[in-house]
Amino acid sequence: IAQTGYQFAIGWRQISLTFTPAENDIVIRFIEAGSSSGRDPLVANVQLTTPNSPPVANAGGPYEGGEGLAIALNGSASYDPDGNPLTYNWTVSDPGVCAFDDPTAVEPILTCNDNGDFPADITVNDGIASDSDDTVVRVLNITPSLSEISIDQPLVPVGTVINASTSFTDPGTLDTHTAVWDWGDGTSSG
């Protein structure tokens, strides 16, 4: 900021002041050294305030990842023009499906238990003013993993009833599933 000059006339004295404003309030106090009129010394307080520039939020993105997996978001492109430190707060449109490991982190991890597009929002604050920005997190469906099929009898004649079972895992814990057995001969059961 360029230097700015101020002049104050107090009684018959004139005071000239030149300074460079800082980021905080500046309080200048003038006290008259003495008075020839016998009155109390004159005290003048001047408060100069440098205006705060609001911060600028930048949520980055768009982001993409798999359901049940960690998706890293990044708000580090957010800044404060005055250089003030920022605090961060992330939110997501469906907190019942998605959760942050630390919503106050610059680069939090988001995990969603179902697929879909989820708007996410970052709000930054410099202690005086706030700004927000949003982005979209696309969460992709992950194919479940099927374990080996177990059968209660290794070899059986055609037409014999067998018991077969398997299990699966799915990182999308909110997914719904339907199992269909394909017997390899054009028939299936579910």
Side-chain angles (χ1 to χ4, degrees):
I1 298 176
Q3 288 193 337
T4 307
Y6 293 92
Q7 291 187 342
F8 300 93
I10 302 173
W12 56 270
R13 296 185 183 149
Q14 184 172 1
I15 300 170
S16 182
L17 172 67
T18 302
F19 67 97
T20 301
E23 294 302 321
N24 301 316
D25 290 349
I26 301 169
V27 177
I28 302 168
R29 185 172 210 181
F30 297 98
I31 302 175
E32 185 179 28
S35 173
S36 60
S37 65
R39 61 178 162 72
D40 288 336
L42 176 65
V43 177
N45 288 329
V46 178
Q47 184 169 353
L48 307 172
T49 304
T50 303
N52 179 61
S53 298
V56 177
N58 186 331
Y63 300 96
E64 185 174 284
E67 61 185 354
L69 304 176
I71 302 169
L73 277 58
N74 189 334
S76 65
S78 301
Y79 66 95
D80 184 75
D82 302 322
N84 295 327
L86 295 175
T87 58
Y88 301 83
N89 188 43
W90 290 87
T91 57
V92 65
S93 64
D94 197 341
V97 174
C98 302
F100 288 103
D101 66 333
D102 180 359
T104 63
V106 176
E107 298 178 20
I109 300 297
L110 180 68
T111 304
C112 298
N113 294 322
D114 203 0
N115 52 293
D117 288 342
F118 300 96
D121 183 78
I122 185 174
T123 300
V124 296
N125 184 290
D126 67 359
I128 299 170
S130 296
D131 187 40
S132 296
D133 189 35
D134 59 9
T135 187
V136 173
V137 180
R138 173 161 285 168
V139 180
L140 306 173
N141 186 48
I142 301 292
T143 303
S145 299
L146 190 63
S147 66
E148 190 172 319
I149 298 172
S150 63
I151 303 173
D152 65 346
Q153 303 173 47
L155 295 172
V156 294
V158 173
T160 304
V161 175
I162 62 166
N163 292 312
S165 64
T166 188
S167 62
F168 68 92
T169 58
D170 188 347
T173 58
L174 297 178
D175 285 350
T176 56
H177 303 90
T178 302
V180 176
W181 290 90
D182 181 352
W183 299 107
D185 62 359
T187 62
S188 62
S189 58

